[in-house]
Amino acid sequence: MDIRRYTALIAMLLVCSIGQSQSFKFAFVTDTHIGNPTAREDVQRTIADINADASLSFVVITGDITEFGSNEELKEAKQLFDGLNKPWYIIPGNHDSNWSESGSNSFRTVFGAETFTFTHNGYLFAGTSSGPNMRMGPGQIPRENVVWLDSVLTHLPNPDMPVVYLNHYPQDSSLNNWYDVIDMLKTKNTQLILHGHGHGNREFRYDGIPSVMGRSNLRAKDTIGGYNIVTFANDTAHFATRKPGMETLPTWKKIPLVKHDFASDPVTYHRPSFAVNQVYPDVKLVWEYQDNSDVGAGTATYKNLVIATNTTGLIYALDQKTGKQKWAYRTNGKIYSTPAVAKGFVVVGSSDNNIYCLEASSGKLIWKFTAGKPVLGSPLIEKGVVYIGASDGHFRALNLKNGKLRWDFDQVSSFVVTKPLLYQGKVYFGSWGNDFYALDAATGALAWKWNNGSTNRMYSPASCYPVAANGRIFIVAPDRYMTSLDAANGQVVWREQMKEGRVRESMGLSADGALVYVKTMDGQLFGVSTTAGTLQVDWKSALALPYELAPSAIVEKNGVVYVPTHSGLACAVDRQSGQVLWKYKSSNSLMNPIMPMGKNRVIVSTMDGKIACLEYAPAKK
């Protein structure tokens, strides 16, 4: 090493050493929940308090910024935080992404990004987003955020620079892919993790990494909210609760800021098991495609192609035999809309406010239709007509060939994320406004509307794909009720909570129309009669899953019932006997609807960007 490079290295290390020896303070704010009755006043009080404290260098805000992720709530939060007189850094949480009318797009638009990184006094601070994104399940750090964080850590100005990582969730199995980030952090000098979510001050350790959960800024049952003041001094992080405008309470936790020898840690930490793939030899992986972004919707097929989408806005086709990408078309927003294919066209909605129609063989744009807000609903194509809902209060029917509007129903409460059902001349769908609609398929006129009676929109029958048989419509919802409605007039045939288990959002129809398949939160799979006058379980499978949340639809083909889970496990069940035919775990993330193919093959996709083709031996008769 020549003398100049040696001198420069010594100078850099000296600067880092001096920077780390200087104490500093910052505000740690989390779970503000704008939209909550007291949230605005609680945030205003906190901002005024922070602005009055000249000793604070910056502010970090770790998710659940809003209650429902609406554009109005996000804009209100931005307007409030713009009142801070010092640098502030913000990331979203599950409340900002799971029920987002923008498909989690508005957070980036309003705040500029959903990740952040900066250095202060020799420390690197890096924050990522966390789901669940758009559909209920365990949390998940978006695949594109994982790729981004890897790039940040790979290009540190100093490989030994101490790292402080921030996320909304606890970094454990509360997140489907916690281990992807933890393993990455353990290759660096990670000294501390900060997060929210639990609304209380607590200390944790994740794989040996010290971590602190911060209290919510909401007052809850108190008369005033609060946040944490964090002081880095003498190689220690000091945490003290601040009651805005009143007092700083005594330090409640001290965390040593040291370099950990993670490589020498003798503890074996929990990781997801893929051992199930050795239990069922009759199913095997044919190919797997790994996207660098989340795959937030199901797939479609056209001839020898598998059509998929991702959350960087791509619509793309993979070769059915090899999994190699054949074409791609980029939109300008995240996509949570499952493609539909008909007559050589593929139709998809995007959170950039557009509905796209592409040539299925090449990806060439045929037409696009612009809505007033993001289009998160999945299209249904029937007899040359595209039926699709959006976030602008509209449900539309478009001409498949040219995209021209056939009719527009403009009275939808809140936004649509489901795939509609066409049955007996009507189009059926739910929204996040607690309503369920039946429209005349030819004119778009409202035939009837049903409301579940709840004031909590999180109980809406919005995510399930409705099914129909014997003149009845069937839906399930997060309020754990299953409802049977008269298809003609919307009158309730029966509405019950299942005694055998807790239904939620995952359901499907048997091929013969005799059963509605429902997956419970307790991991059971039942078949409910489509003709009985009450909720009558006529079929039960031997499938026994752990706690289960995935809202993805259940499908049956050729006597096999395919059940997706929130942990990347695909399950195949015999329709007649209810016995499990096979299981395959492709990932640890939420699985989208499974797509059966010909020749005993299925396509599975998961939210962490994996698309896989599985082949299985048919069941012996």
Side-chain angles (χ1 to χ4, degrees):
M1 179 183 294
D2 62 47
I3 189 66
R4 286 176 298 178
R5 292 176 61 192
Y6 178 79
T7 302
L9 176 60
I10 293 299
M12 182 181 72
L13 293 175
L14 182 60
V15 167
C16 288
S17 175
I18 292 173
Q20 286 174 237
S21 68
Q22 294 176 343
S23 65
F24 62 94
K25 295 181 180 181
F26 61 93
F28 171 24
V29 181
T30 190
D31 294 87
T32 54
H33 288 275
I34 294 297
N36 180 282
T38 70
R40 181 178 179 87
E41 183 179 338
D42 292 339
V43 168
Q44 287 175 324
R45 185 179 286 113
T46 289
I47 289 174
D49 193 69
I50 291 172
N51 286 346
D53 189 346
S55 70
L56 296 175
S57 299
F58 56 87
V59 184
V60 292
I61 311 160
T62 58
D64 276 7
I65 311 305
T66 66
E67 186 69 12
F68 207 68
S70 70
N71 290 348
E72 290 74 17
E73 290 173 346
L74 289 168
K75 289 174 182 177
E76 180 180 357
K78 176 64 160 55
Q79 181 239 345
L80 288 169
F81 289 123
D82 275 341
L84 285 164
N85 63 6
K86 44 187 62 68
W88 54 278
Y89 307 91
I90 193 168
I91 48 176
N94 56 297
H95 274 256
D96 307 308
S97 59
N98 189 37
W99 299 281
S100 167
E101 65 182 327
S102 71
S104 303
N105 225 36
S106 286
F107 194 95
R108 294 188 304 179
T109 303
V110 171
F111 292 103
E114 61 184 15
T115 60
F116 67 72
T117 182
F118 66 95
T119 59
H120 189 84
N121 279 28
Y123 288 87
L124 175 86
F125 290 78
T128 62
S129 174
S130 58
N133 291 309
M134 297 312 303
R135 287 183 292 151
M136 179 52 69
Q140 177 178 311
I141 301 167
R143 172 70 182 169
E144 54 266 37
N145 283 195
V146 175
V147 172
W148 171 86
L149 182 62
D150 180 55
S151 177
V152 169
L153 296 177
T154 300
H155 297 92
L156 287 174
N158 172 8
D160 285 328
M161 174 177 279
V163 174
V164 178
Y165 174 67
L166 303 94
N167 192 258
H168 177 65
Y169 264 88
Q171 300 301 293
D172 56 19
S173 56
S174 302
L175 288 163
N176 271 335
N177 60 344
W178 85 95
Y179 54 95
D180 286 336
V181 168
I182 287 291
D183 288 348
M184 197 184 300
L185 292 171
K186 288 170 70 174
T187 66
K188 301 300 178 183
N189 182 15
T190 303
Q191 299 189 356
L192 182 64
I193 294 174
L194 300 178
H195 66 82
H197 192 64
H199 286 217
N201 288 330
R202 300 189 191 103
E203 178 190 7
F204 296 91
R205 291 185 79 86
Y206 303 119
D207 279 30
I209 306 175
S211 177
V212 168
M213 172 192 287
R215 59 152 294 162
S216 168
N217 192 69
L218 291 172
R219 71 187 68 176
K221 296 180 181 180
D222 204 346
T223 57
I224 193 171
Y227 63 99
N228 274 280
I229 291 180
V230 187
T231 303
F232 279 25
N234 300 319
D235 298 320
T236 303
H238 306 253
F239 291 81
T241 298
R242 175 66 182 170
K243 308 288 284 183
M246 294 178 61
E247 60 178 332
T248 301
L249 301 181
T251 297
W252 65 268
K253 182 55 61 180
K254 295 181 181 179
I255 304 290
L257 296 171
V258 298
K259 183 174 182 179
H260 300 272
D261 187 5
F262 297 119
S264 300
D265 188 345
V267 179
T268 300
Y269 296 99
H270 171 66
R271 291 293 182 270
S273 173
F274 288 77
V276 67
N277 294 345
Q278 308 305 315
V279 176
Y280 296 93
D282 287 342
V283 60
K284 64 179 182 180
L285 179 68
V286 179
W287 54 258
E288 183 177 85
Y289 176 86
Q290 177 63 70
D291 203 312
N292 282 332
S293 304
D294 281 2
V295 172
T299 53
T301 183
Y302 174 74
K303 293 185 176 179
N304 64 334
L305 300 176
V306 173
I307 312 296
T309 61
N310 70 19
T311 53
T312 58
L314 276 186
I315 308 166
Y316 56 93
L318 305 178
D319 188 290
Q320 279 189 15
K321 294 181 179 179
T322 66
K324 301 294 184 183
Q325 190 176 109
K326 304 297 289 185
W327 58 255
Y329 180 90
R330 180 170 295 282
T331 75
N332 294 314
K334 297 184 179 188
I335 297 178
Y336 293 100
S337 170
T338 294
V341 174
K343 298 182 179 180
F345 301 108
V346 56
V347 179
V348 183
S350 172
S351 63
D352 68 1
N353 297 12
N354 289 299
I355 302 161
Y356 291 87
C357 179
L358 310 179
E359 185 177 68
S361 60
S362 67
K364 176 185 175 182
L365 178 66
I366 302 300
W367 55 260
K368 71 176 180 179
F369 182 95
T370 301
K373 285 186 176 181
V375 184
L376 309 177
S378 298
L380 171 71
I381 304 175
E382 188 71 28
K383 295 182 180 179
V385 181
V386 178
Y387 302 95
I388 189 167
S391 295
D392 57 358
H394 292 249
F395 189 96
R396 298 173 173 90
L398 307 173
N399 185 294
L400 174 61
K401 290 185 178 180
N402 55 30
K404 294 196 177 194
L405 186 68
R406 293 174 67 97
W407 54 255
D408 181 359
F409 177 76
D410 63 356
Q411 300 168 46
V412 179
S413 174
S414 196
F415 60 103
V416 176
V417 297
T418 188
K419 179 180 179 179
L421 167 71
L422 184 62
Y423 181 68
Q424 294 183 346
K426 296 182 181 68
V427 183
Y428 302 88
F429 63 94
S431 77
W432 278 114
N434 289 311
D435 289 331
F436 188 82
Y437 300 84
L439 308 181
D440 185 292
T443 66
L446 179 66
W448 54 260
K449 180 174 70 171
W450 175 82
N451 185 280
N452 63 11
S454 174
T455 57
N456 188 341
R457 52 187 170 174
M458 294 179 188
Y459 289 155
S460 300
S463 284
C464 71
Y465 286 9
V467 299
N470 300 309
R472 301 176 181 180
I473 307 297
F474 298 89
I475 54 176
V476 289
D479 59 7
R480 301 172 192 175
Y481 276 89
M482 184 172 186
T483 305
S484 173
L485 303 170
D486 187 301
N489 57 32
Q491 294 299 307
V492 174
V493 179
W494 52 258
R495 173 171 165 79
E496 301 179 35
Q497 289 187 326
M498 182 179 284
K499 297 175 183 178
E500 294 83 355
R502 299 169 294 171
V503 298
R504 191 177 173 95
E505 293 169 311
S506 182
M507 63 185 299
L509 186 68
S510 65
D512 60 8
L515 300 173
V516 177
Y517 298 120
V518 290
K519 182 183 61 181
T520 72
M521 295 170 65
D522 312 286
Q524 306 145 305
L525 178 66
F526 294 109
V528 176
S529 170
T530 60
T531 58
T534 61
L535 196 164
Q536 177 179 302
V537 175
D538 280 357
W539 180 88
K540 180 179 179 180
S541 86
L543 183 66
L545 299 167
Y547 180 67
E548 174 58 35
L549 286 174
S552 304
I554 300 165
V555 297
E556 179 192 335
K557 186 173 183 181
N558 297 332
V560 179
V561 183
Y562 297 98
V563 184
T565 71
H566 74 221
S567 60
L569 181 70
C571 305
V573 175
D574 183 82
R575 161 64 175 92
Q576 295 304 316
S577 68
Q579 294 301 306
V580 176
L581 298 174
W582 54 261
K583 297 178 183 177
Y584 188 89
K585 188 174 175 68
S586 65
S587 163
N588 200 53
S589 290
L590 188 147
M591 182 168 283
N592 299 305
I594 298 170
M595 184 173 70
M597 308 281 284
K599 298 181 180 178
N600 301 316
R601 291 188 174 188
V602 297
I603 301 295
V604 297
S605 64
T606 49
M607 288 284 284
D608 61 350
K610 285 186 179 178
I611 302 174
C613 177
L614 307 179
E615 185 175 70
Y616 59 92
K620 296 178 182 179
K621 301 294 185 182

